[in-house]
Amino acid sequence: GGIAGSYIGLFMLVALFTSIGTWCSTLTNNVIISFLISAVVCFLFYNGFEALSHITSFRGNADYYIEQIGISYHYKNMSKGLIEITDAVYFILMISLFLLVTKRQLMKH
């Protein structure tokens, strides 16, 4: 179960990072700039919300919800082999969101 959950979690993570990278590549025509933007956005979504939730002014209920926005919260559960419906829905919604934004960005051009 742990191995299958890890593979499913890794597949979802790769799909989300790919959708983020695709969106970032529509923002500029320069390949290097789009790669750098994509790397920063992926890093911020993976580590940024968890780090933001550790700020002392967000203690209480807000830190829990801020941490749930980030990718690492959902990926850690899946990498342990624990596949919850909320984690799968999170990944599917985020992938769909970035693909929708990519489609809208391409329609502008």
Side-chain angles (χ1 to χ4, degrees), residues 5-23 38 42 46 71 75 78 90-92 94-95 98-99:
S6 294
Y7 278 123
I8 292 170
L10 189 60
F11 176 76
M12 297 289 239
L13 183 69
V14 167
L16 181 55
F17 282 165
T18 303
S19 66
I20 291 172
T22 304
W23 171 67
S38 158
C42 288
Y46 191 82
I71 297 170
Y75 177 67
M78 293 182 102
Y90 169 81
F91 277 107
I92 291 169
M94 291 298 285
I95 291 166
F98 278 103
L99 290 178

Side-chain angles (χ1 to χ4, degrees), residues 1-2 5-6 74-85 87:
S6 294
H74 299 280
Y75 177 67
K76 286 178 186 176
N77 290 337
M78 293 182 102
S79 68
K80 295 176 189 173
L82 178 64
I83 300 175
E84 293 183 0
I85 192 73
D87 297 330

Side-chain angles (χ1 to χ4, degrees), residues 15-107:
L16 181 55
F17 282 165
T18 303
S19 66
I20 291 172
T22 304
W23 171 67
C24 291
S25 71
T26 63
L27 299 177
T28 180
N29 290 331
N30 191 336
V31 178
I32 296 170
I33 299 298
S34 65
F35 168 74
L36 292 174
I37 292 170
S38 158
V40 168
V41 170
C42 288
F43 178 78
L44 289 177
F45 266 92
Y46 191 82
N47 289 324
F49 287 104
E50 183 179 3
L52 190 64
S53 71
H54 292 290
I55 295 176
T56 56
S57 62
F58 291 126
R59 295 285 181 211
N61 291 335
D63 61 343
Y64 175 71
Y65 295 113
I66 291 172
E67 187 177 15
Q68 281 192 338
I69 297 171
I71 297 170
S72 66
Y73 177 82
H74 299 280
Y75 177 67
K76 286 178 186 176
N77 290 337
M78 293 182 102
S79 68
K80 295 176 189 173
L82 178 64
I83 300 175
E84 293 183 0
I85 192 73
T86 57
D87 297 330
V89 167
Y90 169 81
F91 277 107
I92 291 169
L93 285 176
M94 291 298 285
I95 291 166
S96 301
L97 174 73
F98 278 103
L99 290 178
L100 178 68
V101 173
T102 301
K103 181 180 175 185
R104 288 185 183 253
Q105 186 70 24
L106 288 174
M107 295 295 232

